[in-house]
Amino acid sequence: RITVAGPEEVYLNRELVALTSLGETLRDWKDNGRLAEDTSILVEGGRTIPYETIVTVLDEVRRGGVGAVNLITAPITEEQ
């Protein structure tokens, strides 16, 4: 799961990652077996997240070699 909390605040399974290195991180996870080849990624972001940020996240996911993406739109809670 990728949670987009802000333009520079992106979490991959609750681990903060730089948006610019998200694709590389996903690729590394796949190469190391931490992410299965057929994994579907969930992307969630609150209503205040700019559309451009979500598009950038989707581009990075594609660059990371993940083909299946599902979008979730919900407010970000303090727990995330």
Side-chain angles (χ1 to χ4, degrees):
R1 176 178 279 198
I2 296 172
T3 303
V4 184
E8 299 298 324
E9 191 175 355
V10 177
Y11 296 88
L12 179 57
N13 290 345
R14 298 183 186 231
E15 184 178 317
L16 183 63
V17 296
L19 180 54
T20 56
S21 66
L22 178 60
E24 182 180 334
T25 300
L26 287 168
R27 177 70 64 192
D28 288 346
W29 282 23
K30 285 178 73 173
D31 291 346
N32 295 326
R34 192 169 173 188
L35 188 67
E37 284 293 323
D38 61 348
T39 296
S40 176
I41 296 286
L42 299 173
V43 177
E44 70 176 331
R47 297 176 200 199
T48 61
I49 303 303
Y51 181 74
E52 298 82 18
T53 302
I54 298 298
V55 169
T56 302
V57 167
L58 295 175
D59 285 344
E60 286 293 312
V61 169
R62 182 181 47 80
R63 198 169 69 81
V66 177
V69 178
N70 293 299
L71 299 176
I72 302 170
T73 303
I76 302 298
T77 64
E78 290 183 6
E79 295 175 13
Q80 296 174 326

